[in-house]
């Protein structure tokens, strides 16, 4: 993970971390600005804002721009700038007083209708500033949509998520975000699986229909019961350990 | 107590396992091992049911003899029922549909027939009052119901007249057939409100054009032909229903509050009639300012005209008995009753009496009978009605008068109070029974542990106090041992004493004084809050009401939240419950703080709550008196703490940054999270918005704070552990789509972390709609919905797992769980609609869980959670068999032995409350709705209890035999060894 921003930094360019998600298969791919964005990207852009203040009063300012594309294959990418010297210091101060780092995105719809795209209000999420600092700005931002393509929620977590109080000496670590961005549509809950069940019943029925070969009394117990009995005692012992 | 019990569990489980392995059919066995039922001799041993009917609207007594035992009531819960007036028990009860469809418009009683109009004039029903069977039912023409009365032909009551907005119909009493139906003339302009028959050949319909004139129409009984139609100028009259009655020989008597006058009008008059006015002043009567005077008359028999005596109510506690003179337009006052709360007429044989309730003193009201003809008080008829300290005021009076052997009038009286209680009183003032009908509408409840006995409490107190030297402590120890010894001896003596008595005489009556916790904490105090604002404390073992407290001035649509702030565990501090009462219109809230064991209001200073309250949360923080802190968030997001002592405020300041709460505004689809600041203001930290155009939030549930999860994970077939995702801050949010088309409707289930606002999971159940019932517990959510495509009810279960490794096994923090859990889900067909659902709860969470499902039939199904497990395999493998997983089947079975209330159905189950007991195997269950049912369930059977028929003799004799056998064989072995050594 960390190698991605390093690489970007070496190239001294703004890291753009893009990612999509309809099927969740993708992860971070560093991207140079020189590459430019996909030319066929017909989506739209919304601001991603953040706020971190020592007095915990929200003052949101620009962090980057989210490129959203709706339709069948929903995808999202993020271009964001580095943190300024001043911002880095503020962030460290906020982390020191266990303040919060908040982000927000405007409520939008990913449907193609331009007119109804934007709605009032924002979706907000937060993470402890110290965990953001200690994770060297590695965060995972997730956008959630509902069935009709409205953005309903945003969440931010850092990896690792804990605040252990370790000092971050290297200023370089706090310059650029290493962001993993995903957009998650709702999952469809399963329906009762009747077809498979009927199939299974049919198979069992067929099996049972077959004449079973006649085994002698001893053969039957020597092959199955005996072995099972030993097995069972072993299991009983394990059960004792396993449950307590 | 636990360790031995656990051994029992294991041996049991292992024996099941062995048995299972030798069997081919895993399912059949797992069914076997969870099946449970009640033996016949256990019926009523651990459970009880109480049946209620609701607030009485109409009440009648059977016949006017001293020996009659039946009375009939129709209630606001759409119930027609009969009580035994000697005991107050239900003889029979008919529960109709809820809502306006089943509402009872009127109940008329004649002889053996009870006539009822149901559903705003939809149905006319006749019931046999002896057995409660339906004689007949007639569907009436459309139109809203106005009035009904019996109609007599030649002195026998044969018909019933039903007046609707635009039609009058007559039906035969014997079979319900319609004799005739006539449309009322000019029904658009005239509001027909009353129908009257005085035993003549006509039936009269009275209608009014407000502030203009009165219309009287006489119909011929024979064929429904209009005989006469009169219009009388009456510009002062706005409603016949509320201001007019018929008295004497068909004289309409009206009262006008504006001119303060009575108006009389002979209904049957031939010529053009006119109202004659009698000023109240001329009778020396004065109406209380702002009071609408009310007339009360009586028609003892439908075949005869009403009495010429009537009551006029002039103020809240002022009634006058008046008499209409034979000339038809002069009035003579008979008696003035002031103060008098309630008046009622009662007739027996040829005698009619008036019962009047007057306040006597602070604690009682007196009821007296008066002769109607003269207004004289009848001797020896005083009955005292005790007023309870925290009860409602008397609201209605129903008198059952009868002739005694000496031809004097005797009576019994049913008093209905504002808190919906019915009290039946017999001469000379004995309360025969009381029914607390407020319990027909329980809104919320809690179970509170009973306090320890005095001796136990003393022992506890010893440990609670600070050490004050070695010697005093030794002394204290010794003294408490002595008290214990005393208590034990007293107990032994009692046992011995009672053993000599025959069994039937030993009474175990529970009173508030003798309340104490039993050995296994199976007996608790049920604190029930009812919609009428009456609180009850009920003993869970017997169901007897130990205390009640009526809160006046509670709005009918108020929302209640009951919070246990301090449990019984902090002796000598009394337990403390707080009831938050919120007016739904204004949002303003009030607090009622009380002791849940005795019901007494506590005198703690309450915080001022000038602003509407949005949310309340109970913190685990306790003040120096061990009361948990309740935070109330108002509409400006300011927080009020209760109790708000210095100590509490200091603790809150220290903890402020770790106190988070959420608010949900379902009308805006908005979920937002807040963090507390040190100055008790708040800051908004997250926001999730579900657009209301797409879906609306219908319910949100967190987890129960007193829930324990014993095992962190599940051992799988391959011996690895699948860890549960146990997030205590998780909220389950259920939405329904605004689009109700069967193809596009859906139910959404969102799992949201209440601290960070992170959407943990978002599932959409397509082609589904509500009502959704769901349970959120441990690491699972179970919900039930209606499948619009297949037109059936389905259950779905979601389980959350962290995976095979725990992120942080020591502590859970919502702020530090970056990885989303794995979510498993499965769906099943359920063959019945359900009305409510709850999960069992036990002390330590070791016992397996069951879902308690309330069915519309009144049965409560105990459904093992095992059947709702998303890991049920499609194909049975060795591993799944190992794990005891039942192979997947799309249908969920309903087995009759799973009905925990066998035939004790609970009508209209609204909620199920579960509470742990002191025994791990046992969970206390209360189902409430129209009825209240209390029982115990044992989801894993009673593994920690020896059975009733446990053979102590056999076990001890075997032990002794073994012991002696060992001794003897040891001796024999010694002898043998010695002999061998000698050889």
């Amino acid at each position: 993970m960390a190698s991605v921003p390093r690489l970007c930094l070496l190239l001294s360019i703004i890291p753009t971390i893009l990612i999509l998600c309809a099927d969740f298969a993708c992860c971070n791919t560093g991207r140079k600005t020189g590459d430019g964005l996909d030319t066929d990207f017909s989506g739209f852009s919304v601001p991603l804002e953040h706020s971190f203040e020592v007095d915990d009063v929200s003052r949101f300012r620009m962090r980057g721009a989210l490129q959203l594309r709706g339709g069948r294959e929903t995808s999202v990418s993020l271009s964001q700038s580095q943190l300024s010297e001043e911002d880095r210091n503020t962030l460290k101060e906020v982390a020191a007083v266990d303040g919060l780092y908040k982000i927000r995105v405007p409520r939008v719809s990913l449907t193609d209708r331009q007119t109804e795209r934007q709605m009032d209000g924002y979706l907000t999420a937060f993470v402890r500033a110290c965990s953001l600092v200690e994770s060297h700005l590695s965060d995972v931002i997730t956008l959630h949509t509902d069935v009709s393509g409205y953005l309903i929620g945003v969440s931010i977590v850092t990896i690792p998520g804990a605040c252990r109080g370790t000092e971050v000496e290297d200023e370089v670590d706090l310059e650029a975000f290493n962001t993993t961005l995903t957009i998650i549509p709702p999952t469809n809950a399963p329906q009762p699986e009747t077809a498979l069940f009927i199939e299974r019943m049919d198979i069992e029925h067929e099996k049972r229909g077959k004449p079973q070969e006649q085994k002698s009394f001893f053969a039957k117990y020597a092959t199955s019961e005996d072995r099972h009995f030993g097995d069972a005692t072993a299991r009983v012992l394990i059960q004792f350990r396993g449950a307590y | 107590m636990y360790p031995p019990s656990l051994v029992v569990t294991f041996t049991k489980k292992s024996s099941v396992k062995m048995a299972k392995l030798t069997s081919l059919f895993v399912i059949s066995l797992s069914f076997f091992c969870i099946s449970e039922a009640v033996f016949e001799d256990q019926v009523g041993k651990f459970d009880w049911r109480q049946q209620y009917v609701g607030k009485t609207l109409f009440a009648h007594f059977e016949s006017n003899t001293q020996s009659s035992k039946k009375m009939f009531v129709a209630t606001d819960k759409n119930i027609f029922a009969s009580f035994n007036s000697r005991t107050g028990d239900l003889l029979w009860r008919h529960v109709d549909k809820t809502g306006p469809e089943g509402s009872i418009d009127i109940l008329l009683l004649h002889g053996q027939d009870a006539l009822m109009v149901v559903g705003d004039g939809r149905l006319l029903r006749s019931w046999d009052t002896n057995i409660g069977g339906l004689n007949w039912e007639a569907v009436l023409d459309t139109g809203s119901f106005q009035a009904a009365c019996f109609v007599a032909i030649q002195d026998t009551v044969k018909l019933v007249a039903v007046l609707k907005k635009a039609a009058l119909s007559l039906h035969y009493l014997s079979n319900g057939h319609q004799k005739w139906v006539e449309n009322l003339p000019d029904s658009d302009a005239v509001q027909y409100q009353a129908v009257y028959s005085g035993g003549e050949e006509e039936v009269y319909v009275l209608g009014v054009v407000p502030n203009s004139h009165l219309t009287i129409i006489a119909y011929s009984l024979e064929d429904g032909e209009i005989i006469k139609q009169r219009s009388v100028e009456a510009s002062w009259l706005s409603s016949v229903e509320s201001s007019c009655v018929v008295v004497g020989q068909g004289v309409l008597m009206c009262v006008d509050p504006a001119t303060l006058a009575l108006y009389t009008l002979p209904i049957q008059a031939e010529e053009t009639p006119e109202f004659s006015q009698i000023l109240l002043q001329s009778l020396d009567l004065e109406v209380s300012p702002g009071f609408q005077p009310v007339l009360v008359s009586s028609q003892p028999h439908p075949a005869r005209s009403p009495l010429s005596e009537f009551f006029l109510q002039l103020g809240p506690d002022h009634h006058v008995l008046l008499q209409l003179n034979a000339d038809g337009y002069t009035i003579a006052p008979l008696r003035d009753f002031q103060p008098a709360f309630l008046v009622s007429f009662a007739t027996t044989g040829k005698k009619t009496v008036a019962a009047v309730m007057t306040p006597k003193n602070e604690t009682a009201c007196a009821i007296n009978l008066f002769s109607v003809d003269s207004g004289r008080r009848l001797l020896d008829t005083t009955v005292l009605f005790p007023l309870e300290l925290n009860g409602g005021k008397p609201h209605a009076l129903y008198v059952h008068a009868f002739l005694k052997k000496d031809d004097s009038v005797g009576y019994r009286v049913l008093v209905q109070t504002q808190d919906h209680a019915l009290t039946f009183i017999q001469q000379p003032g004995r309360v025969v029974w009381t029914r607390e009908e407020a319990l027909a509408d329980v809104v919320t409840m809690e179970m509170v542990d009973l306090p320890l006995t005095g001796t136990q409490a003393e022992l506890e107190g010893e440990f609670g106090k600070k050490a004050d030297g070695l010697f005093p402590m030794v002394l204290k120890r010794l003294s408490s041992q002595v008290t214990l010894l005393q208590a034990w001896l007293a107990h032994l003596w009692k046992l011995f004493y009672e053993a000599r008595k025959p069994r039937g005489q030993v009474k175990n009556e529970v009173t508030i004084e003798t309340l104490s916790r039993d050995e296994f904490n199976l007996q608790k105090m049920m604190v029930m809050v009812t919609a009428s604002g009456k609180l009850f404390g009920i003993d869970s073992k017997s169901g007897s009401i130990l205390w009640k407290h009526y809160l006046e001035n509670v709005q009918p649509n108020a929302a209640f939240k009951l919070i246990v702030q301090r449990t019984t565990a902090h002796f000598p501090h009394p337990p403390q419950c707080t009831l938050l009462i919120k007016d739904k219109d204004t949002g303003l809230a009030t607090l009622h703080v009380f002791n849940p064991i005795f019901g007494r209001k506590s005198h703690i200073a309450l915080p001022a709550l000038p602003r509407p309250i949005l949310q309340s949360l109970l913190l685990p923080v306790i003040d120096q008196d061990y009361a948990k802190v309740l935070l109330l968030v108002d509409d400006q997001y300011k927080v009020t703490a209760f109790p708000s002592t210095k100590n509490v405020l200091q603790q809150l300041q220290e903890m402020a940054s770790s106190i988070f709460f959420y608010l949900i505004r379902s009308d805006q689809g908005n979920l937002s999270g807040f963090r507390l600041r040190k100055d008790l203001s708040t800051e908004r930290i997250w926001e999730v918005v579900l657009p209301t155009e797409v879906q609306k939030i219908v319910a949100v549930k967190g987890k129960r704070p007193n829930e324990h999860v014993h095992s962190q994970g599940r051992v799988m077939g391959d011996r690895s552990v699948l860890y549960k995702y146990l997030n205590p801050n998780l909220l389950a949010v259920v939405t329904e789509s605004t689009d109700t088309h069967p193809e596009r409707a859906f139910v959404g289930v969102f799992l949201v972390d209440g601290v960070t606002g992170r959407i943990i999971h978002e599932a959409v159940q397509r082609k589904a709609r509500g009502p959704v019932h769901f349970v959120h517990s441990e690491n699972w959510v179970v919900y039930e919905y209606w499948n619009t495509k297949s037109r059936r009810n389905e259950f779905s279960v979601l389980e959350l797992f962290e995976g095979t490794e725990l992120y942080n096994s020591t502590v859970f923090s919502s702020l530090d769980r970056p990885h989303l859990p794995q979510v498993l889900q499965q769906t099943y067909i359920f063959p019945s609609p359900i009305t409510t659902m709850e999960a069992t709860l036990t002390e330590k969470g070791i016992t397996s869980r069951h879902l308690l499902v309330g069915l519309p039939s009144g049965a409560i199904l105990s459904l093992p959670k095992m059947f709702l497990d998303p890991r049920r395999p499609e194909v049975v493998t060795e591993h799944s068999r190992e794990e005891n997983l039942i192979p997947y089947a799309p249908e969920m079975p309903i087995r009759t032995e799973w009905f925990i209330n066998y035939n004790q159905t609970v009508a209209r189950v609204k909620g199920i409350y579960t509470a742990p007991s002191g025994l791990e195997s046992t969970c206390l269950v209360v189902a409430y709705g129209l009825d209240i049912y209390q029982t115990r369930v044992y989801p894993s059977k009673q593994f920690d209890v020896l059975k009733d028929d446990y053979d102590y003799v056999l076990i001890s004799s075997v032990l002794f035999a073994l012991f002696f056998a060992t001794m003897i064989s040891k001796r024999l072995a010694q002898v043998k060894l010695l002999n061998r050594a000698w050889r």
Side-chain angles (χ1 to χ4, degrees), chain B residues 401-433:
Chain B
F402 48 84
L403 285 178
K404 290 189 201 162
K405 278 177 193 142
D406 59 354
D407 216 30
S408 64
V409 180
Y411 73 115
R412 302 186 187 104
V413 63
L414 181 71
V415 184
Q416 184 184 8
T417 44
Q418 282 169 334
D419 52 7
H420 304 181
L422 294 176
T423 311
F424 194 65
I425 309 168
Q426 204 173 21
Q427 276 178 295
R430 187 171 71 89
V431 174
V432 185
W433 49 262

Side-chain angles (χ1 to χ4, degrees), chain A residues 56 145 187-190 200 244, chain B residues 10 683 762 764 766 827 874:
Chain A
D56 269 348
T145 64
T187 46
N188 277 330
R200 205 185 76 202
Y244 275 72
Chain B
F10 291 149
E683 95 182 274
E762 184 189 354
V764 173
R766 304 260 178 197
T827 306
E874 300 276 355

